[in-house]
Amino acid sequence: MDLVVFDLDGTLLNKQQRLSGVTLKTLEKMRQAGIAYTIATGRTHLAAAPCIEAHDFPLWQIYKNGVEWWHPDQQAYRHQGILELAMIDATLQTFANNEVTPFIFCLEEDGTQSVYYPKPYNHYGGTVFSELSKHHNLTLLDIEQMPNNARIINISALGHPDNLRLIVDECNTQEHIVAYSGGGIYHPETHWIDIHHSSTCKGSAIEQLKRELNATNLIVFGDGDNDLTMFKIADEAYATDNAPSYIKAQASGTVGHHDEDGVALFLQKRFDL
């Protein structure tokens, strides 16, 4: 049994951050053919929802680089790799030093999510705040209100790549956290950063899903640093043409550009759809 896993930004989504008509038709043909497929993204479930609203991905969906799972039929979450406040104290100071606004996603006792944040330093933080404010089922709170026993899922932010690179470097000195940064797909000087527990990644989440589905052949598609953990465990790993050369070098092969239906056109030939 094949299991196909897609990254979203720079891979399955076009430059409008949506699934193209060709991609939608291809996914529907995969569903009809009984091919198992899902997504694994650094986005949160809420941030990804408008991007994939035109297609119902039927299996467990992997978000926040494996920290968060969502099942559309069961309407249920899973969470893995919860952080404690003490594990991110030094990192939060690095955010402040570089004037990058962190948005700290926390899991509350009733299963809902809250996001704690300081006053935005600049338009990057303002952009994230505006986007998160659109979600009625997400509570935004001042960072001063974050309890000492907060159950932290991840930290997300937007910023200039130079500032985010410094934060990634600091995270690399910490034992319990891992940081990924990338972007420039939609706006050249706007990059994202995602920080979460080092025990969790796309690769470990997909390995677990593969076991649960009894899949025997894993095929993955991606374009960034946070996709490399799933490249390592895949039977077939494909980078999109827009991926950096060092990502392509760790793939089994390459497919077309993300804004030219590269993944969909490859799958049509791969599975004779």
Side-chain angles (χ1 to χ4, degrees):
M1 172 187 168
D2 292 313
L3 172 60
V4 182
V5 182
F6 310 107
D7 171 51
L8 286 181
D9 296 280
T11 303
L12 199 63
L13 301 180
N14 60 22
K15 285 185 177 179
Q16 287 70 48
Q17 303 180 51
R18 295 294 184 270
L19 301 170
S20 73
V22 173
T23 295
L24 288 170
K25 290 179 182 178
T26 302
L27 291 172
E28 188 55 39
K29 288 180 179 179
M30 290 179 68
R31 185 204 298 270
Q32 293 172 5
I35 301 167
Y37 60 92
T38 191
I39 56 174
T41 176
R43 285 180 180 253
T44 66
H45 170 223
L46 296 177
C51 303
I52 61 171
E53 62 183 354
H55 184 79
D56 295 323
F57 288 83
L59 302 177
W60 279 105
Q61 301 162 9
I62 310 298
Y63 295 101
K64 298 182 182 177
N65 296 315
V67 174
E68 179 178 271
W69 296 35
W70 168 255
H71 199 292
D73 291 337
Q74 299 177 20
Q75 293 287 294
Y77 283 107
R78 292 184 190 176
H79 289 95
Q80 304 180 83
I82 300 299
L83 288 165
E84 298 174 1
L85 185 57
M87 296 177 180
I88 64 167
D89 276 343
T91 300
L92 291 181
Q93 185 58 54
T94 305
F95 270 91
N97 293 344
N98 289 281
E99 296 190 348
V100 177
T101 310
F103 290 83
I104 307 164
F105 288 75
C106 296
L107 187 64
E108 303 295 346
E109 291 298 328
D110 62 359
T112 60
Q113 290 187 25
S114 297
V115 180
Y116 296 88
Y117 67 98
K119 181 180 178 180
Y121 290 104
N122 46 45
H123 71 281
Y124 293 116
T127 297
V128 179
F129 176 81
S130 296
E131 180 60 34
L132 295 178
S133 298
K134 297 175 184 177
H135 301 294
H136 67 277
N137 50 350
L138 194 64
T139 303
L140 274 68
L141 298 166
D142 189 282
I143 196 170
E144 297 297 330
Q145 297 178 258
M146 188 166 63
N148 290 330
N149 63 346
R151 300 164 66 200
I152 300 163
I153 304 170
N154 74 307
I155 308 171
S156 293
L158 291 179
H160 190 279
D162 293 343
N163 299 86
L164 299 189
R165 194 174 300 113
L166 293 172
I167 298 173
V168 170
D169 289 344
E170 187 280 330
C171 290
N172 288 336
T173 70
Q174 303 297 317
E175 180 181 0
H176 298 292
I177 59 177
V178 63
Y180 298 106
S181 184
I185 301 170
Y186 311 117
H187 303 285
E189 292 190 353
T190 299
H191 280 219
W192 53 263
I193 189 170
D194 185 74
I195 299 167
H196 56 78
H197 200 288
S198 56
S199 66
T200 306
C201 62
K202 286 187 180 184
S204 61
I206 293 165
E207 273 191 316
Q208 182 177 339
L209 181 61
K210 181 183 176 183
R211 289 193 299 268
E212 292 179 8
L213 297 174
N214 292 315
T216 54
N217 189 55
L218 177 62
I219 305 170
V220 304
F221 297 86
D223 75 307
D225 288 1
N226 58 341
D227 297 317
L228 293 178
T229 58
M230 64 179 186
F231 277 25
K232 290 178 181 178
I233 65 165
D235 298 285
E236 302 173 44
Y238 297 100
T240 49
D241 188 54
N242 49 279
S245 57
Y246 70 92
I247 300 293
K248 294 177 183 177
Q250 299 191 54
S252 307
T254 58
V255 299
H257 197 283
H258 81 102
D259 200 38
E260 298 172 356
D261 301 311
V263 172
L265 295 176
F266 174 85
L267 288 169
Q268 289 176 15
K269 293 181 179 179
R270 174 67 172 73
F271 289 107
D272 193 25
L273 298 173

